[in-house]
Amino acid sequence: MTYKVMVTPRSFGKGNSQPIDMLREYGCELILNPYGRIMNKQEMLALIKEVDAIIVGVDPIDQEVLEHASKLKVISKYGVGTDNIDLNYAREKGIPVTVTAGANKDAVADYTIALMLAAARRMLPIDKACRQLNWNKITSVDVWGKTLGLVGLGAIGKGVAARARGFNMNILAYDLIQDEAYAAEHQIDYVGLNELLSTADFISLHLPLTEQTHHLIGAKELASMKETAVIVNTARGGLIDEQALLAALQENRIWGAGMDVFEQEPPQDKGFLELDNLIIGSHCAASTYQAIENMGVMAAANVLAYLR
């Protein structure tokens, strides 16, 4: 029997064909993303009609899309964030949703630290000035021995904490679900969100996007941060009120930010592109060859587990 499997992530099987080979060896016919970008709802509606399984990135799978997928047996998320999927409707229709938990945690943790360093040390303005043969010194802020506040202490948050120890950082964490044993073993103090924001020199977000976490960081929260604070988001666009962040950066009310995710990508407000105290990523924190291979193999295995 031939199964049709739709694959939307552009990096699926990139650099290593193993996940593609796994599906084809089982007799799956692959329907690959033909657009070279995140697909929109209408494009999803057109391609999903006859598929038995879908491996999906951040493309929209809302109720209307699912209503058009009458043969769909499993949704395999290429990653862990499921805010683009109508989980309640999928559950109602009996369609399981799987994730590739842990596949990209090291890649994202590495990138988080890179954003922190680049924003703190003004690496982009320094690089730009040097390319114009301007060798004037640009003064920046330290990372060594500072306080890191992790908003979310799951797998990626713990990875960032482990790396931060190499910079002799004090670590605070805020999370509704607390791993007290891990925190005690690694000298991490759980605190309230307000205390974390006002105390930390670096703030890194590692939460899923839900109704409760949408715009968790707004104007009030940004105003409570130190003028020398750096905020980094490698989790989900929507955790931060982007207009409030833009204003805070434009007015230099915080030192800087590193944003790998936006509510709409690329960001609608071009003001973000003009800032020299912001490092922007194209949602690529998880884009390393190893992480892509890990996610691909896990996503393919999750599909096959249900098709079999």
Side-chain angles (χ1 to χ4, degrees):
M1 182 175 181
T2 299
Y3 294 102
K4 291 185 178 181
V5 180
M6 182 175 169
V7 179
T8 70
R10 292 150 288 172
S11 63
F12 183 81
K14 180 181 179 181
N16 187 325
S17 65
Q18 184 181 356
I20 293 174
D21 296 339
M22 290 169 62
L23 294 170
R24 286 181 172 159
E25 285 170 7
Y26 191 68
C28 296
E29 174 189 341
L30 301 189
I31 302 170
L32 302 178
N33 182 340
Y35 300 102
R37 55 167 169 75
I38 298 169
M39 294 168 62
N40 61 40
K41 183 174 177 177
Q42 292 306 312
E43 292 161 350
M44 292 288 289
L45 288 170
L47 290 179
I48 203 170
K49 291 180 181 178
E50 299 297 321
V51 306
D52 298 284
I54 181 169
I55 295 173
V56 66
V58 295
D59 320 77
I61 303 188
D62 62 9
Q63 179 173 335
E64 185 179 358
V65 172
L66 288 172
E67 286 173 346
H68 279 69
S70 59
K71 296 177 64 178
L72 193 63
K73 299 172 179 63
V74 60
I75 300 169
S76 178
K77 172 70 184 195
Y78 187 74
V80 294
T82 54
D83 50 282
N84 60 312
I85 303 169
D86 189 329
L87 296 176
N88 291 329
Y89 190 72
R91 190 179 302 111
E92 181 181 324
K93 299 294 287 184
I95 303 170
V97 178
T98 67
V99 298
T100 57
N104 61 17
K105 62 183 178 63
D106 287 322
V108 177
D110 285 350
Y111 199 83
T112 299
I113 296 292
L115 287 177
M116 286 171 44
L117 288 167
R121 298 306 306 272
R122 292 281 196 261
M123 292 182 73
L124 287 188
I126 291 171
D127 178 86
K128 181 179 179 181
C130 289
R131 291 174 190 275
Q132 297 169 350
L133 300 182
N134 178 352
W135 242 248
N136 291 334
K137 303 300 181 187
I138 295 178
T139 304
S140 54
V141 297
D142 288 307
V143 177
W144 178 264
K146 298 298 183 179
T147 296
L148 169 64
L150 296 168
V151 183
L153 191 61
I156 295 172
K158 288 173 180 175
V160 174
R163 288 154 176 79
R165 284 298 180 201
F167 289 90
N168 195 36
M169 300 184 87
N170 304 307
I171 302 174
L172 306 176
Y174 165 78
D175 207 321
L176 295 180
I177 301 173
Q178 299 185 357
D179 188 339
E180 297 285 2
Y182 180 90
E185 181 182 353
H186 294 89
Q187 296 83 51
I188 298 171
D189 295 322
Y190 279 111
V191 296
L193 181 60
N194 292 337
E195 181 179 348
L196 183 148
L197 294 173
S198 63
T199 304
D201 302 289
F202 295 87
I203 296 148
S204 189
L205 306 183
H206 302 286
L207 293 175
L209 180 62
T210 65
E211 290 183 5
Q212 291 71 36
T213 62
H214 182 253
H215 287 188
L216 181 70
I217 307 299
K220 176 183 175 182
E221 289 73 24
L222 289 161
S224 72
M225 292 164 54
K226 298 178 179 180
E227 289 185 1
T228 53
V230 170
I231 187 166
V232 170
N233 187 7
T234 53
R236 277 293 181 266
L239 294 177
I240 301 177
D241 180 337
E242 291 174 5
Q243 289 306 304
L245 175 64
L246 179 60
L249 292 170
Q250 287 173 331
E251 298 166 14
N252 293 309
R253 286 188 273 114
I254 61 174
W255 179 260
M259 294 280 286
D260 188 50
V261 288
F262 289 86
E263 290 193 75
Q264 180 172 325
E265 297 171 353
Q268 285 184 301
D269 196 322
K270 303 308 178 188
F272 284 107
L273 309 182
E274 300 167 0
L275 296 168
D276 64 2
N277 55 354
L278 171 68
I279 309 293
I280 296 176
S282 56
H283 207 135
C284 60
S287 295
T288 67
Y289 287 111
Q290 187 61 60
I292 288 169
E293 181 178 339
N294 293 344
M295 288 192 294
V297 169
M298 290 179 68
N302 288 340
V303 165
L304 294 175
Y306 282 91
L307 295 185
R308 287 169 174 154

